[in-house]
């Protein structure tokens, strides 16, 4: 039976301009049930936007309306069973035009989304009412022999069959082809003409049940990835006519000077003209280690100034910035089908003509409409229609109960087929937060605790991830942090402070050498830090660590190592993915290659599978290249910088505590925020695939045997229905097995 809305994506349509109206608009993206219009007027006319939202929300077929002023666009979600997509789009254009003169509706606009969601759920089950009533009446008047007028039973069957007949007629007259609805209609008609009304009523009920289950498990994530430009900064300070002014970030002109203060996002891409600042680039590159920007440094929109103040010459603004371009790539990425793949329809389409011809041949030779009806009833499809959506729904429900959000049946199917997983490093394989991993005092001088106390005292109240990591470590050791006297912070170098009467220097080796501090004792203790280096593995400092150098009263005291450590579950999960599942694993990061290789070696990943210093668009390129080489690729990441790669992967995976964009782009969200959930998700997907294969056998094998019997010695339509529906029920019950899935044992960390 044909689904209520076509199980496919509308190909992106070319934007069209409305030239005969006074409001310019164009369609920029559309899928069944959702369309996005670009309406330039929305950017500068708030009242028009309010009228547009209220006017569209009042339409019965509309379920949700969202306006993005920054992008000058409106997204309209609508019901697909009442009007065609083209008709709805035509009405949308009319609403966009009439909103310019419409009077504003008094009061607040209706809360369309929650109300329409409830109405939609009710509508799903309402389609099942007519077949169910027809089945009950047919059973009561037939096998149970209750005195119900036959005209009433026949009318109920005809009412239930009318939607099928309409679709069959539309296919014959409009598309000029025979579809599965035609096959259903012929079987219903032949069975009804023999006076057997139980068979057609029951078949229609089972068909509608399968369609309802499929529709209720539909994915609605296309709307989730819309309006991503809202994640960028909205305002910017610029110098105009000798004055500093705050303006919308979209109004900054190329060549203007933008001023960025501590705690603000950089609104443009460009070079620093003057000033110096520590910049947190995690939102763009995913890396937790800040960079120091001074004159001549190129900085990017959406990154955050932690400390300092910079003046940036705007080279790329608005949608041309690197961050906005990455988000646009997400919006333009291929949007896979948001509903479960309709296996039954694919099989049915191939079986329609042979089944029809064979039924005609049998009828011609036997003159027995019962045999023909039996053959048409044995269409191999009902069992699949009921069992496959049930199996997928059961698997998705089981996954959700265990903290794994899988957005669609298609994602579950693809996850079972994955042979390559690409992991982002920061926040996915690592903790995503800098922490102190080791304290190395110079022998015979300060103790570890005293070295940490002085460092924490100097770093206190400094808004820098490294300073915060030092403070956290001191708190974990329950140390008493002494007060800080006079102090001076030099961006990119370190801090000079007076603590307990001592002059303390905390910062880089360059800072201490600049102050004339001798580091030879450190080079003797750790030769790899000296000019000659050392053999691999002979140094106490690991390649993925960085150092804070500490001196007191002009004497070097030691170093504190800090790093973004691996998650405790990264190693066991990587080993199981490589060993038990035999997957090809890649590490993809915006970090420098030295640190990336160090992490890869710790996880036993081949060096050829480590990709470093990758910006978002480069991450997407690597994912696409793996896909084009014939691999089924999953990408796991949690940041804004990962959203493009997530969108282009066959299966995208993120964490519940990841960025909003990553969560909304991902097909699979690990709500428990651990990698063990990924193992469970793969186990569920593979078990579901196995159950689906069993259901295909349960649905097809009995029907093939019955078809052979009906074609030779004959088979009563009721017997054919019993076999047909019995196999469907068996497959449907088997489809519930994912709910009884046994969790895989969690490996010891």
């Amino acid at each position: 039976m044909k689904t209520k809305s076509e199980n496919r994506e509308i190909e992106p349509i070319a934007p069209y301009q409305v030239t005969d109206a006074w409001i310019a608009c164009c369609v920029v993206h559309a899928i069944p049930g959702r369309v996005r219009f670009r309406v330039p007027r929305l950017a500068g006319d708030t009242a028009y936007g309010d009228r547009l939202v209220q006017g569209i929300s009042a339409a019965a077929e509309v379920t949700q309306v969202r306006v993005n002023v920054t992008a000058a666009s409106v997204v309209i979600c609508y019901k697909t069973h009442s009007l065609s997509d083209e008709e709805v789009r035509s009405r949308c254009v009319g609403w966009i035009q009439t909103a310019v003169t419409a009077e504003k509706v008094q009061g607040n606009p209706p809360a369309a989304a929650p109300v329409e969601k409830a109405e939609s759920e009710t509508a799903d089950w309402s389609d099942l009412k007519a077949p169910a009533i027809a089945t009950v009446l047919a059973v009561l008047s037939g096998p149970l022999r209750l005195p119900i007028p036959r005209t009433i039973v026949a009318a109920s069957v005809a009412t239930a069959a009318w939607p099928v007949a309409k679709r069959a007629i539309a296919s014959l007259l409009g598309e000029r082809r025979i579809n599965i609805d035609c096959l259903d209609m012929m079987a219903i008609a032949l069975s009804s003409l023999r006076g057997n009304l139980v068979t057609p009523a029951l078949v229609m009920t089972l068909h509608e049940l399968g369609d309802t289950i499929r529709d209720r498990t539909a994915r609605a994530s296309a709307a989730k990835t819309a309006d991503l430009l809202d994640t960028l900064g909205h305002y910017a300070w610029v110098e105009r006519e000798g004055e500093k002014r705050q303006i919308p970030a979209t109004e900054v002109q190329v060549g203007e000077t933008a001023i960025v203060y501590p705690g603000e996002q950089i609104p443009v891409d460009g070079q620093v003209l003057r000033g110096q600042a520590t910049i947190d680039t995690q939102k763009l590159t995913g890396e937790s280690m800040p960079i120091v920007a001074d004159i001549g440094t190129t900085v990017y929109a959406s990154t955050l100034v932690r400390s300092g103040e910079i003046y940036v010459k705007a080279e790329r603004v608005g949608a041309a910035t690197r961050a906005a371009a990455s988000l646009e790539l997400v919006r333009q990425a291929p949007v896979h089908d948001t509903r479960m793949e309709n296996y039954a329809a694919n099989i049915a389409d191939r079986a329609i003509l042979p089944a029809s011809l064979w039924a005609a041949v049998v009828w011609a030779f036997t003159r027995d409409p019962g045999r023909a009806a039996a053959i048409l009833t044995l269409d191999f499809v009902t069992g699949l229609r009921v069992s496959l959506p049930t199996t997928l729904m059961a698997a998705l429900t089981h996954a959700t109960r265990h903290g794994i959000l899988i957005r669609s049946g298609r994602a579950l199917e693809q996850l079972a087929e994955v042979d390559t997983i690409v992991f982002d490093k920061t926040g996915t394989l690592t903790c995503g937060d800098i922490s102190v991993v080791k304290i190395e005092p110079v022998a015979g001088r300060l103790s570890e605790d005293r070295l940490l106390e002085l460092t924490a005292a100097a770093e206190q109240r400094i808004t820098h991830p490294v300073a915060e990591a030092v403070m956290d470590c001191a708190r974990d050791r329950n140390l008493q942090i002494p007060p800080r006297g006079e102090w001076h912070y030099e961006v990119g170098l370190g801090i000079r402070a007076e603590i307990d009467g001592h002059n303390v220097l905390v910062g880089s080796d360059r800072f201490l050498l600049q102050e004339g501090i001798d580091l030879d004792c450190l080079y003797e203790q750790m030769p790899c830090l000296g000019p000659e280096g050392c053999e691999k593995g002979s140094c106490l400092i690991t390649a993925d660590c960085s150092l804070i150098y500490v001196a007191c009263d002009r004497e070097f005291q030691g170093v504190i190592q800090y790093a973004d450590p691996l998650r405790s579950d990264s190693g066991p999960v990587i080993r199981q993915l490589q060993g038990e599942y035999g997957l090809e694993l890649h590490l993809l990061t915006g970090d420098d290659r030295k640190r990336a290789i160090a992490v890869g070696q710790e996880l036993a990943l081949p060096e050829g599978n480590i990709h470093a210093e990758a910006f978002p668009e480069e991450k997407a390129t690597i994912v696409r290249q793996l896909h084009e080489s014939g691999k089924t690729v999953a990408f796991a990441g949690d940041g804004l910088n990962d959203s493009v790669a997530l969108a282009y992967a066959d299966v995208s995976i993120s964490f519940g505590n990841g960025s909003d964009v990553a969560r909304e782009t991902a097909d699979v969200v690990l709500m428990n925020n651990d990698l063990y959930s990924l193992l469970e998700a793969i186990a569920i997907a593979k078990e579901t695939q196995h159950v689906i294969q069993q259901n295909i056998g349960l649905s097809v094998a009995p029907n093939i045997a019955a078809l052979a019997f009906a074609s030779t010695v004959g088979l009563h339509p009721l017997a054919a229905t019993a076999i047909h529906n019995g196999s469907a029920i068996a497959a449907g019950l088997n489809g519930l097995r994912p709910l009884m899935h046994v969790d895989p044992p969690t490996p010891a960390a």
Side-chain angles (χ1 to χ4, degrees):
M1 184 178 292
K2 192 174 170 182
T3 59
K4 300 179 192 68
S5 61
E6 289 296 334
N7 213 8
R8 61 180 175 82
E9 176 193 356
I10 293 180
E11 295 296 328
I13 60 178
Y16 62 87
Q17 297 294 333
V18 182
T19 56
D20 57 346
W22 53 92
I23 298 295
C25 64
C26 65
V27 174
V28 293
H29 184 65
I31 60 173
R34 180 178 175 275
V35 61
R36 175 200 284 267
F37 281 86
R38 185 85 66 207
V39 186
R41 180 160 182 158
L42 288 171
D45 191 338
T46 305
Y48 170 77
D50 292 341
R51 292 194 300 272
L52 181 61
V53 169
Q54 295 187 43
I56 297 177
S57 298
E61 61 268 35
V62 173
T63 60
Q64 188 179 14
V65 184
R66 296 195 320 279
V67 168
N68 183 341
V69 175
T70 304
S73 68
V74 56
V75 175
I76 303 167
C77 301
Y78 55 90
K79 301 175 185 177
T80 58
H81 62 270
S82 56
L83 297 173
S84 70
D85 297 297
E86 197 58 43
E87 287 174 326
V88 173
R89 267 178 258 149
S90 177
R91 292 194 180 192
C92 290
V93 172
W95 292 327
I96 290 170
Q97 304 309 315
T98 56
V100 73
T101 56
E103 294 185 4
K104 187 172 181 179
V105 181
Q106 295 299 318
N108 296 324
V115 174
E116 292 296 345
K117 179 181 178 182
E119 290 179 356
S120 178
E121 291 178 356
T122 303
D124 286 341
W125 293 112
S126 66
D127 293 333
L128 193 58
K129 289 179 181 177
I133 292 172
T135 300
V136 171
L137 291 175
V139 171
L140 291 176
S141 66
L144 298 182
R145 299 186 179 281
L146 292 182
I148 300 176
R150 189 167 181 78
T151 54
I152 294 178
V153 180
S156 67
V157 173
T159 301
W162 177 238
V164 183
K166 283 199 301 184
R167 290 195 293 268
I169 293 170
S171 177
L172 289 171
L173 299 181
E175 303 176 21
R176 298 188 181 280
R177 70 181 184 92
I178 299 175
N179 67 356
I180 190 63
D181 292 309
C182 301
L183 200 67
D184 290 339
M185 199 61 232
M186 286 188 286
I188 292 169
L190 287 172
S191 298
S192 300
L193 289 174
R194 286 176 55 86
N196 175 22
L197 297 180
V198 175
T199 299
L202 187 56
V203 168
M204 286 187 290
T205 299
L206 290 172
H207 286 181
E208 192 61 47
L209 178 63
D211 287 343
T212 300
I213 291 173
R214 179 188 55 249
D215 290 341
R216 285 183 63 82
T217 57
R219 174 184 172 191
S221 63
K224 298 287 186 180
T225 59
D227 306 327
L228 298 178
L229 286 174
D230 284 340
T231 61
L232 302 179
H234 292 292
Y235 297 98
W237 288 95
V238 297
E239 284 187 336
R240 285 185 178 176
E241 300 175 358
E243 297 180 354
K244 295 180 180 179
R245 299 181 181 179
Q246 189 180 47
I247 62 172
T250 54
E251 294 183 9
V252 179
Q253 303 296 318
V254 173
E256 283 192 305
T257 300
I259 309 147
V260 193
Y261 300 101
E264 293 184 348
Q265 284 186 354
I266 298 175
V268 298
D269 290 357
Q271 284 196 350
V272 177
L273 295 178
R274 66 178 188 269
Q276 192 177 55
T278 302
I279 298 177
D280 183 349
T281 64
Q282 187 168 9
K283 191 172 183 181
L284 181 63
T285 67
E287 297 312 311
S288 53
M289 197 70 64
I291 65 168
V292 176
D294 49 22
I295 297 174
T297 302
T298 299
V299 294
Y300 300 97
S302 83
T303 57
L304 179 69
V305 172
R306 285 291 195 112
S307 60
E309 176 184 324
I310 52 175
Y311 290 69
V312 182
K313 181 180 180 180
E315 297 176 354
R316 290 187 296 272
V317 300
T321 62
R322 183 185 291 273
S326 298
L327 295 176
E328 184 68 10
L329 279 176
V330 175
R331 193 185 64 78
Q332 293 178 351
V335 179
H336 296 286
D337 190 1
T338 59
R339 296 178 182 271
M340 287 182 276
E341 295 293 338
N342 192 350
Y343 298 98
N346 293 335
I347 295 173
D349 284 342
R350 292 192 292 269
I352 290 170
L353 188 57
S356 302
L357 292 176
W358 186 243
V361 169
V362 170
W363 193 1
F365 278 94
T366 64
R367 297 297 178 182
D368 184 355
R371 286 196 185 189
I375 291 171
L376 293 173
T377 299
L378 297 166
D379 61 5
F380 313 104
V381 179
T382 300
L384 299 180
R385 280 191 177 146
V386 175
S387 67
L388 297 183
T390 300
T391 303
L392 291 170
M393 186 176 70
L396 299 180
T397 301
H398 167 73
T400 301
R401 289 174 181 172
H402 287 71
I404 304 166
L405 175 60
I406 304 177
R407 296 189 188 275
S408 70
R410 176 206 160 269
L412 192 67
E413 298 156 13
Q414 288 286 83
L415 187 59
E417 301 292 336
V418 162
D419 54 28
T420 303
I421 301 182
V422 181
F423 288 96
D424 173 55
K425 179 177 76 70
T426 306
T428 303
L429 294 176
T430 68
C431 295
D433 294 314
I434 295 172
S435 62
V436 173
V437 296
K438 195 173 183 62
I439 301 173
E440 290 286 347
V442 175
R445 296 183 183 174
L446 298 179
S447 66
E448 283 190 20
D449 284 353
R450 182 57 177 168
L451 182 65
L452 182 58
E453 284 177 354
L454 293 177
T455 306
E459 297 271 20
Q460 60 187 307
R461 295 189 297 279
I462 299 295
T463 57
H464 189 288
V466 175
E468 293 168 1
V470 170
M471 295 298 295
D472 289 341
C473 183
R475 293 190 195 100
D476 291 342
R477 294 193 177 203
N478 295 318
L479 300 180
Q480 295 295 322
I481 301 175
R484 180 178 60 186
E486 292 186 8
W487 63 282
H488 178 67
Y489 175 45
E490 296 189 26
V491 177
L493 291 174
I495 300 172
R496 182 184 294 104
E498 182 182 325
I499 301 168
D500 286 346
H502 300 286
N503 292 317
V504 177
L505 299 177
V506 176
S508 64
D509 57 344
R510 186 162 58 95
F511 181 45
L512 269 64
L513 290 172
Q514 180 179 299
E515 295 295 322
I517 306 299
D518 184 7
L519 303 181
D520 288 344
C521 57
L522 177 66
Y523 298 150
E524 294 171 4
Q525 185 173 338
M526 301 176 186
C528 58
L529 297 178
E532 302 300 326
C534 68
E535 295 296 325
K536 182 179 179 182
S538 66
C539 183
L540 296 176
I541 304 296
T542 58
D544 60 333
C545 286
S546 299
L547 301 176
I548 304 172
Y549 293 75
V550 184
C552 181
D553 293 333
R554 304 196 61 76
E555 185 177 49
F556 180 66
Q557 300 296 332
V559 294
I560 295 177
Q561 300 181 41
Y562 62 92
D564 179 10
L566 286 174
R567 289 173 175 263
S568 60
D569 52 0
S570 293
V573 169
I574 292 296
R575 287 193 293 272
Q576 189 164 345
L577 290 173
Q578 289 178 317
E580 180 178 338
Y581 293 111
L583 300 181
E584 178 182 322
L585 305 183
H586 291 254
L587 175 64
L588 181 56
T589 178
D591 206 348
D592 66 72
R593 185 159 185 81
K594 179 181 176 183
R595 285 179 180 161
I597 290 176
V599 171
Q601 289 175 342
E602 191 171 350
L603 294 172
L605 296 177
E607 187 170 334
N609 291 2
I610 298 171
H611 314 274
E613 300 174 356
F615 273 100
E617 60 270 25
E618 294 165 332
K619 291 185 177 184
T621 299
I622 292 170
V623 170
R624 282 200 300 264
Q625 288 172 347
L626 289 170
H627 174 77
E628 290 167 0
S629 68
K631 302 181 187 299
T632 303
V633 184
F635 180 83
D638 71 328
L640 170 65
N641 62 301
D642 300 320
S643 56
V644 181
L646 287 167
Y648 281 91
D650 293 296
V651 181
S652 49
I653 303 165
S654 189
F655 294 100
N657 63 358
S659 70
D660 290 342
V661 174
R663 284 199 314 274
E664 293 170 358
T665 307
D667 297 308
V668 180
V669 182
L670 308 178
M671 302 304 294
N672 294 332
N673 300 310
D674 64 66
L675 287 172
Y676 289 125
S677 296
L678 176 58
L679 294 178
E680 185 172 7
I682 294 174
I684 292 172
K686 289 187 176 295
E687 181 183 350
T688 304
Q689 184 184 52
H690 180 62
V691 173
I692 286 174
Q693 291 168 350
Q694 289 180 338
N695 286 344
I696 292 174
L698 286 172
S699 299
V700 173
N703 283 276
I704 288 179
L707 180 61
F709 199 78
S711 303
T712 54
V713 299
L715 186 67
H716 192 278
L718 281 178
T721 301
I723 295 171
H724 178 240
N725 294 339
S727 64
I729 292 171
L733 292 175
N734 188 58
L736 296 174
R737 281 179 51 205
L739 290 176
M740 298 176 280
H741 170 85
V742 178
D743 297 341
T746 300

